[in-house]
Structures are given as structure tokens and as C-alpha cells.
Amino acid sequence: MIKHTLRAGRRAVSPGLRCFSETSGGGVSEDGLERTSSPPLTKQASLYVHWPYCLRRCSYCNFNKYIPRENNDPVMTECLQRETETLLQLSQVSCITSVFFGGGTPSLAHPSTIAAVLQTVSRRAYLSDEAEITLEVNPTPVGKSKLEDFCRAGVNRFSIGVQSLQDEDLKSLGRDHSSHQALQAVEEARRLCPGRVSVDVMFGRPKQSVASWEKELSELLRVCDDHVSLYQLTLERGTQLFKQVLGGGVTVPGEDVMAEMYRCARRTLHQDGLLQYEVSNFARHQAVSHHNTGYWKGRQYIGVGPGAHGRFVPLGEGGVLREARTQTLDPDAWIREVQQRGHGTRRRIQLSHLELLEEVLVMGMRMTDGINHKHWEMFSPQLGLREVFGTTSDVQELLQSGHLILDDRGLRCSWDGLVLLDSILPALLVELERQISPRLQIDHHGDGQTKSQTSSPP
């Protein structure tokens, strides 16, 4: 089953996203980096902005979010602007391709905060009028009432956290909206941004059955726009739901039922014209998430705000390798650090050539198009997909079973294979390390650096 794979893509731009960097039967493709006219990888990036506050904590959630003690919107706005400016200067990117405001509950932020951050971006880099600017929305009456103001601030795409159309389930999950309010919010968002509204829906909820899930999906499809994100409910340690299940007071569907729910959703969405382009994402009329596609294709991204993650080359201080960067989690500590030194980066790790390729592989295989040869060559010019994955017996077994495809287009999972991605990836990662590690050792320099690392694409 794809439990862990769905978890990895659970939020559109999760601040805890560990990895980042194309589609088989009936998928939606999106080119971008593969165009020969595209600028170098280090010249462009997407931007993720994390708003850490929520009014309450959902029973299943372990994301980096906090209940605010007071209204500190002005200082948060100022710090988001300052960190955005600092990291844009550090990366020296000339173009921001998309912006995603996630959380937490970013729809709690004042629209002027969104406008201020976007103005800061525009002062430091090129931000096209057509660039995708997404805001996650909690579909409460308050969230719905601010949608038009968010559009005036520059937002042109909404991601609505519907999660369920069953009021009893919403209550048990700790959500603070009803199914009716969620549908009203979706309707208003579609009026303001037709064709650019994504709906999040969760399966594997307590007491949920395949039959009730199928019925709920049919109801959702009558009102949703052109994009749906599926999330499997997972039990995270430390959450209220985890404790309830552990104590026996609440039961959730077993893995076999979860797997059938996922297959049911794929069939139902496909029949309604929503084609799968990634493990948990479906779109029609080419309404793919360009921001998330950047992660899956290995593009640079800059993370701003408490707990945000980023992947970029710090050209502004002479860097030549891509770094994995994490911002300080606690909002109060993050605010102090930004005020003192312009940013709240708590951890930064240079990615080796192998680590970069691992991320490109793991994230690229989430796409139903997989990874094409030209795309892989940008990150691994010496070893192509066939050289890395075309000889080992384990991978050959996957190819012969039809779960994996390696052809003139590239490497990808079949329609059936995508459901088994969690069990396919370990074999691919082992083979990648087996092929790459000897070359790193051969090219080893006395200073501890390697030719592969210094010459590898950022």
C-alpha cells in the first residue's frame, strides 16, 4: 500500500517536507524545466510561506502549528517580509515561479500580510502576473468572508481543507467547520478563481467504509473544481487521535480497507475526468499544482516562516552546492532570530550528489509520468536512467512484473505499480547508491570533496 507515500505528500507544501524532484496511463503532464529555453536551475525558485497559527489543533494533526496568545499580525508580517528579503538575497534567484501560503491556518492572516509578502518578493525578484499564488483556506464562515480580500492581495488559487462531508467525522477530527460551510466556501472560491480551486479530502477516517467513501466522493464531485488532493489519515504519535486509537476508544480502517479506498478514489475521480498526475493529486483541464510540481521535479524552493523547509544554492555567500535548510520551529524564537539577524534558519545541510539524486528519484517517482531521460540528465549527466536502473535483478523483476516501466520516455510506475510505490522505491534507492557510491570514492579528493559533488547540478 502507499501509506507512507501519501504521507509524504500530505500537505501541498508541508513545512516538514523532507524531499523534493514527471506521468503512465491517462496522466496530466507539465513540462517546465525540460524546455531548452528554461533558465538555469539556480536562477529560479518557488517560495513557501508558513503561517504557524491555528485557532485550535485538529485531533490528527502534528504539523508545526501554534495557538496564538495574542494578535501579533504586525510583527509576524514584518518578520515574514524580512526573512523573505534575506533569503532571496542569499539565493540570488532572479525569478520566483510560484508562491504557496501554508500552515497552520494562513487564512487567519490578514490579507494585508499576504500583499506585503508578495510586494517584498516583487522588489527582489521577477514575479509574473501569471504566477500561481496559492493560499490554504480553512472553510469556516470567517475564512469564506476573506476570500475576495485575499484575491485583491494577489492570491489566484485556493486550496480548501474540506477533509470530509460528514459532520460527525469533522467533529471527531477536531475541525471547526461543517460540511455545509465547506461547500459554501468552495462555491465562493470557484466564483473568484474558476478552475483554480483545489479541494483536500481525507480517507481512512474512524468508522469509514469503502461504500460510504465512494458515496462521499460522488457528492464532492458535484461541487468541486478542477483539482482534488487525497490524503490518507495517518496516526501520528502525540496526537489526540493516536491516543484514542491506542486506548481502544476509536478504531480506524485496516490497511486492506485503506488500499481499497484509494483504488476506489482513483477509479471514481478518473471516471469524472480528474486524471491522476501524482500519487495523491488529480486534475482536469490541466489544472495541476505548478508549485507542488516544482518539488516533484527537483526545482529550488525557498522556505520562509517558522519551521519552513527549503532547498536552494546560497549563491549570495559563494555557495555552489544545494542546501537543505530548516527554519526555527517556535514562532516566538523565530521572530527573535529574524529581528536579530534577518532570518531564522536553524539548520543547513549541504546535499551531496547522491543525496540530491535520491531526492530527485523519490519525488520524481511520485508523478505518474515518472522521470524522463532529459530531466534525469540535468542532475546526473554521467549516468543515465538505463545505466543506473537497467541491469539489476531486483529492478528487472519489477520491470517484468509490469509495475515499473523503463523505456524511451524514462522511468515511471505503471497504473498498478503506483499503488506499490512504497515497496518499489527501496529497490531503486539501493541500486542508485550501488551505482553512484563507487564513483564518489574514485573521484575523492584530499579535501574531502568529490568531483561528482562539485560538478553536480545544484
Side-chain angles (χ1 to χ4, degrees), residues 81-99:
Q81 285 184 278
R82 188 172 179 193
E83 185 169 70
T84 297
E85 188 166 359
T86 299
L87 296 185
L88 285 175
Q89 185 174 4
L90 181 62
S91 69
Q92 291 192 355
V93 298
S94 56
C95 175
I96 291 295
T97 56
S98 63
V99 182

Side-chain angles (χ1 to χ4, degrees), residues 376-387:
W376 180 260
E377 187 180 346
M378 288 191 299
F379 298 93
S380 178
Q382 288 83 22
L383 278 178
L385 288 171
R386 285 196 173 93
E387 285 78 11

Side-chain angles (χ1 to χ4, degrees), residues 32-33 38-46 91-97 299-302 311-312 322:
L33 276 186
S38 293
L41 294 177
T42 54
K43 295 301 182 183
Q44 59 182 11
S46 57
S91 69
Q92 291 192 355
V93 298
S94 56
C95 175
I96 291 295
T97 56
R299 301 173 192 171
Q300 290 196 132
Y301 60 97
I302 298 169
R311 297 287 193 278
F312 64 89
R322 188 178 295 196

